[in-house]
Amino acid sequence: MRASRFFISTLKEAPADAEIVSHQLMMRAGMIKRLGSGIYTYMPIGLRVIRKVEAIVREEMNRSAAVELLMPLIQPAELWQETGRWDKMGAELLRIKDRHGREFAFQPTAEEVITDVVRSEIKSYRQLPLNFYHIQTKFRDERRPRFGLMRGREFTMKDAYSFDRDLAGMQASYQIMYDAYTRIFNRFGLKFRAVAADNGAIGGSGSHEFHVIAHTGEDALVYCPTSDYAANMEAAEALPATAERAAAAQALSKVATPDATKCELVAAQLGLPLSQTVKTLALTVETEKDGKTAKQYFMLLLRGDHELNEIKVAKVAGLADHRFSTEEEIAEVYGCVPGYLGPIGTKAPVTVVADRTVANMADFICGANDAGYHYTGANWGRDVAEPAIVADLRNVVEGDASPDGQGVLTIERGIEVGHVFQLGTAYSAAMKATFLDENGKPAPLQMGCYGIGITRILGAAIEQNFDDKGIIWPTSLAPFELVLCPMGMDRSEAVKQATEQLYAEAVAAGIDVIVDDRGLRPGQMFADWELIGVPHRVVIGDRGLKEGNLEYQGRRDAEATAVPVAEILGFVQGKLAQ
Amino acid sequence: MRASRFFISTLKEAPADAEIVSHQLMMRAGMIKRLGSGIYTYMPIGLRVIRKVEAIVREEMNRSAAVELLMPLIQPAELWQETGRWDKMGAELLRIKDRHGREFAFQPTAEEVITDVVRSEIKSYRQLPLNFYHIQTKFRDERRPRFGLMRGREFTMKDAYSFDRDLAGMQASYQIMYDAYTRIFNRFGLKFRAVAADNGAIGGSGSHEFHVIAHTGEDALVYCPTSDYAANMEAAEALPATAERAAAAQALSKVATPDATKCELVAAQLGLPLSQTVKTLALTVETEKDGKTAKQYFMLLLRGDHELNEIKVAKVAGLADHRFSTEEEIAEVYGCVPGYLGPIGTKAPVTVVADRTVANMADFICGANDAGYHYTGANWGRDVAEPAIVADLRNVVEGDASPDGQGVLTIERGIEVGHVFQLGTAYSAAMKATFLDENGKPAPLQMGCYGIGITRILGAAIEQNFDDKGIIWPTSLAPFELVLCPMGMDRSEAVKQATEQLYAEAVAAGIDVIVDDRGLRPGQMFADWELIGVPHRVVIGDRGLKEGNLEYQGRRDAEATAVPVAEILGFVQGKLAQ
């Protein structure tokens, strides 16, 4: 490519609405251009990176015997009604009416359509397994689109859907995709981590997220450096902070704690560590029976310095549909104001649910169910009955024991860019997608689904790889692998000849090269390519040529390296192969 | 590719709603699958063909220094309101409201968005010329989608937009695109024709359509076999059928023609040729002035066997916004019922507009403005004043003189798959897209736009290339270039070895090959590949191998050719190079 036939448009300053570095740098490098809220034109440089991402994804999907097709963007509401997602999805689903008033969805994913395709195509177990994928535009009408391509509304995703005859087959298909994703992210040249995830609303029995590691990541990833354990914060299992409960050493004592409605304030007033306090959360569960609403009350106990994990709470038997109790309910049930609740003296109808760590605490501090007072020296069994339910209710913290017993947990930040799901029969049962098994009997297809956020990869890669000059692309994703910067191509015949020769050789060697023939001053030229983030640069100038040299500089290099003209191509090829 | 790892699903019968052969064959070959009216999933085989079309288009666009980007599907209404297309486009434009009630269009084309991009990027004439393109999904909410991919609602289009500083620049950019299109359609291996077209509603000063020639085409193409002249029916200029008017030879005579309200009936009753008759069309033009509606009346005259060309009529001065007169208007203005109108005796406020051919007729037959009567032997100048306006009002017919004076016109049928337009400043003026010229003064950008219907190419290619067995792809568009059909791969080690060896050699030679390892019976296997239309086939069987031969058969060949094993790769390569 010659820069004069391409389109390069860089900015000194990012627009004010670009909050994060990847958004700022993509705008400044002219990779994207905003059309509307969460909607971007992919400018020529941005599109080149997208195509590189797509090509790697496509190659590895094909290598895994997944078959590419292309499903429509505009999908009839009727299919979405079959699975109930038409109602469940809410305002994020962009709904459209055609000229005849028929309803459609702009696809955010394609489970319904692929299941519809497969139920009409697949008759027999002999046709299985199958894995279909497409790389296609998606739309999610986010309430607050932001961060450029990280949380846009119109974006590109690779979504794949596997179909198997049984659970073992589905798990095998899942593993094939897990392995393909590992190859894909390795080929991207990005630091990433796969973590176990909660299946959430989509249902099914297992899933992993693939995250690009970045300090600025929205998600907390939990892993054990001395074992294979890795999970996202929602799914990471928290063990008790102490393996066993210590014996009671203190007497129960009711102490005045005026205006101390939070554990931090209590600990500060009493001069005791926060980790000795227990915080209390009051929950209500409403159930309908015979047309009447019945209420159940639950008291959740967490160590004062721990964070509640809502997803874990919802998994406790009876708590799937809980809400926080109102002040009125708390006054009625506990006879106390919020901020001073505690387990001691609490009785039916309240069920006490203690986090595993709390259940192992001794001599703890908790509310006295009396405004302005807490207990110190509280102990299970002696001062209060053992909790009715002990469960994992909290987020893990650094230093927690790994659930696999092989070390302690560490936490890092990540950006979710891929997700693999074991769906099971959630969609196939709803849509009556069956096949005839070996005995000629209809059975529902076992499904998996597998997504990669193609356009999001760009943002994530930049969040991981940038400096104060701009983007630093891994070679496999770079818009160009190599840029040639001639100094005064118009003035110097020697520079022009050396440039054209190297350009021709690089093209012939299959290097994705651009020559900057725009005639800019060196400073401006270098600033552009450092901002755009091309990983390898060769400068061709009269001074170097006099000594038979060109100047190579990698994007992360502090200085240039003089390389003899005859050796430069091999030198660059060596760098590209690294 | 191995068929066992691909997805092939053929049908014996096409669904009832598939009216034309390309739709039937695409459904039967498993290329597409209907999701809704005018909305299709591109199945793996169909997608492969689409990708081949896209790759050729992309290569030739890049070769022409056009720069690829990707504009969003969902576009804010505000941009469409700037050009007035939000109101003009009617029900074909799919309109969408987001969760906040903001209005958007699903793009049918992208003039507004690219002009918006360019007006913010281009400051100076030094940045011109520019040509941006994208290959992107489009949606047009057709009233009656049909013919599979030929008239779908969701489809893929390549659209390009050029920007120049002046008219000469725009014309040069236009010519570059015209030449690129010519290379593209040649590389497709399709018989095609570029014809001059009317610019229509899009405005501007020149355009050509690219048509794939097919008997089943919707459009009539007019061309002169002995010159370069070619135009579509809307644009083809019709000269008078006779170069000069003959002298009057008959006396005017009023004859009874009961129940003969059409020229065909008059000619039959009188036993005279239809080409001697003149048909009359009454038009009304309403104009608003000072809040009042004024009406003007026009009488159009065409030879009885000629067809009206509405687009030409609209170009006659004063007739841009005409409609057919009502029966009431005809009774009031002409004092006669429709079917018996004619120019003789017609006076103000009626303006007579004669087609060029009619203006040169002598001794013609026309209505007598008296129910049940016609005149014969009518002559201009003698019986009726010369027509106020003489214009080209009709479609050309075979045998008409070519407008370039270099032969006679022929008509063939075509399917429109590409269109190049000189837009001029229609969009840039409306959207204030200007640049600073050499004198530092702002001037509007001169634009061109250039479309290719990517998915439509599939239908058009099939309409041109099929037989009773199925599709016959040109090699450049085929889903696979070569299929290997082993006979009894499971039973015969020799067949298996020969197949695997040839497969490996073909892959290494860069041939897009599929080996059919599905274990089907030969008849079924051959029928599938003939239906799918793979252009080259090699059969590997024990019988041939005993004599050291494999069997090659081209998709259009009546018989197979025995080729020695050692020569088969070169033989196939020779066929591919043809």
Side-chain angles (χ1 to χ4, degrees), chain A residues 5-7 9 33-37 39-45 47 50-51 58 62-76 79 91-92 94-100 102 104 106 113 116-118 120-122 127 130 132-133 135-137 139 141-145 153-154 156, chain B residues 5-7 9 33-37 39-45 47 50-51 58 62-76 79 91-92 94-100 102 104 106 113 116-118 120-122 127 130 132-133 135-137 139 141-145 153-154 156:
Chain A
R5 288 167 67 104
F6 193 59
F7 185 78
S9 175
K33 201 164 178 77
R34 186 178 183 279
L35 178 62
S37 174
I39 302 177
Y40 293 88
T41 292
Y42 306 131
M43 295 296 285
I45 288 183
L47 183 61
I50 291 172
R51 295 288 187 238
R58 189 171 274 127
N62 293 348
R63 197 188 303 274
S64 308
V67 182
E68 188 175 8
L69 45 58
L70 193 65
M71 289 177 274
L73 299 166
I74 305 293
Q75 307 184 342
L79 280 183
E92 248 189 39
L94 188 66
R95 292 151 211 264
I96 300 172
K97 277 190 186 161
D98 75 0
R99 67 192 295 159
H100 303 296
R102 288 191 214 100
F104 294 83
F106 192 124
V113 171
D116 181 57
V117 166
V118 167
S120 77
E121 290 286 348
I122 300 306
Q127 293 169 276
L130 269 175
F132 287 114
Y133 77 98
I135 298 177
Q136 178 64 302
T137 308
F139 200 94
D141 201 359
E142 295 271 356
R143 181 187 297 275
R144 209 189 140 205
R153 295 201 289 176
E154 187 173 322
T156 303
Chain B
R5 288 166 67 103
F6 194 58
F7 185 78
S9 174
K33 200 163 179 78
R34 187 179 183 280
L35 177 63
S37 173
I39 302 176
Y40 293 88
T41 293
Y42 306 130
M43 296 295 285
I45 289 182
L47 183 61
I50 291 172
R51 295 288 186 237
R58 190 170 275 128
N62 293 349
R63 198 187 303 273
S64 308
V67 182
E68 188 175 7
L69 44 59
L70 193 66
M71 290 177 273
L73 300 165
I74 305 293
Q75 307 183 342
L79 281 183
E92 249 189 39
L94 188 66
R95 290 151 212 262
I96 300 172
K97 276 191 185 159
D98 75 1
R99 66 192 294 159
H100 302 297
R102 287 191 214 101
F104 294 84
F106 192 125
V113 172
D116 181 56
V117 166
V118 167
S120 76
E121 290 285 348
I122 300 307
Q127 293 169 278
L130 270 174
F132 287 114
Y133 76 99
I135 298 178
Q136 178 64 302
T137 309
F139 200 94
D141 201 358
E142 296 270 356
R143 181 185 298 275
R144 208 187 140 207
R153 296 201 288 175
E154 188 173 322
T156 304

Side-chain angles (χ1 to χ4, degrees), chain B residues 392-423:
Chain B
D392 177 10
L393 302 178
R394 68 170 175 100
N395 286 337
V396 302
V397 294
E398 294 234 355
D400 272 346
S402 177
D404 64 3
Q406 300 192 36
V408 293
L409 296 176
T410 294
I411 295 173
E412 65 188 347
R413 311 296 299 179
I415 300 165
E416 188 192 337
V417 285
H419 206 151
V420 291
F421 269 104
Q422 295 183 24
L423 282 176

Side-chain angles (χ1 to χ4, degrees), chain A residues 173-192:
Chain A
S173 292
Y174 181 85
Q175 189 61 43
I176 288 170
M177 281 296 99
Y178 184 98
D179 295 343
Y181 276 41
T182 303
R183 293 197 304 275
I184 287 168
F185 287 98
N186 275 323
R187 285 185 61 185
F188 286 160
L190 298 174
K191 290 188 281 292
F192 72 98

Side-chain angles (χ1 to χ4, degrees), chain A residues 35-274:
Chain A
L35 178 62
S37 174
I39 302 177
Y40 293 88
T41 292
Y42 306 131
M43 295 296 285
I45 288 183
L47 183 61
R48 286 185 77 91
V49 180
I50 291 172
R51 295 288 187 238
K52 301 233 171 160
V53 172
E54 288 177 351
I56 290 172
V57 169
R58 189 171 274 127
E59 278 181 30
E60 295 301 334
M61 292 301 293
N62 293 348
R63 197 188 303 274
S64 308
V67 182
E68 188 175 8
L69 45 58
L70 193 65
M71 289 177 274
L73 299 166
I74 305 293
Q75 307 184 342
E78 289 76 15
L79 280 183
W80 286 75
Q81 284 154 353
E82 280 192 58
T83 61
R85 288 215 295 172
W86 183 259
D87 295 323
K88 258 186 260 168
M89 289 263 315
E92 248 189 39
L93 185 67
L94 188 66
R95 292 151 211 264
I96 300 172
K97 277 190 186 161
D98 75 0
R99 67 192 295 159
H100 303 296
R102 288 191 214 100
E103 287 191 297
F104 294 83
F106 192 124
Q107 65 145 359
T109 59
E111 282 84 357
E112 282 80 0
V113 171
I114 195 67
T115 305
D116 181 57
V117 166
V118 167
R119 71 179 165 185
S120 77
E121 290 286 348
I122 300 306
K123 312 277 180 247
S124 157
Y125 70 95
R126 288 191 196 86
Q127 293 169 276
L128 301 173
L130 269 175
N131 188 351
F132 287 114
Y133 77 98
H134 69 168
I135 298 177
Q136 178 64 302
T137 308
K138 303 285 182 292
F139 200 94
R140 287 192 194 158
D141 201 359
E142 295 271 356
R143 181 187 297 275
R144 209 189 140 205
R146 54 194 170 143
F147 303 151
L149 300 193
M150 300 284 265
R151 195 172 294 282
R153 295 201 289 176
E154 187 173 322
F155 59 99
T156 303
M157 190 171 150
K158 186 284 299 173
D159 38 328
Y161 305 90
S162 66
F163 296 87
D164 278 276
R165 55 199 282 196
D166 54 23
L167 205 63
M170 177 188 73
Q171 286 165 345
S173 292
Y174 181 85
Q175 189 61 43
I176 288 170
M177 281 296 99
Y178 184 98
D179 295 343
Y181 276 41
T182 303
R183 293 197 304 275
I184 287 168
F185 287 98
N186 275 323
R187 285 185 61 185
F188 286 160
L190 298 174
K191 290 188 281 292
F192 72 98
R193 191 175 293 283
V195 297
D198 188 74
N199 266 31
I202 205 161
S205 51
S207 80
H208 284 85
E209 293 168 356
F210 285 75
H211 287 260
V212 169
I213 306 303
H215 298 306
T216 54
E218 276 193 313
D219 295 313
L221 311 180
V222 179
Y223 71 101
C224 175
T226 52
S227 78
D228 282 343
Y229 186 82
N232 67 10
M233 188 52 87
E234 284 77 36
E237 186 183 355
L239 298 181
T242 51
E244 289 182 17
R245 188 192 293 168
Q250 302 175 8
L252 185 68
S253 165
K254 187 167 173 179
V255 294
T257 51
D259 300 324
T261 54
K262 296 193 166 185
C263 286
E264 287 78 3
L265 300 173
V266 175
Q269 269 191 21
L270 302 179
L272 292 169
L274 185 58

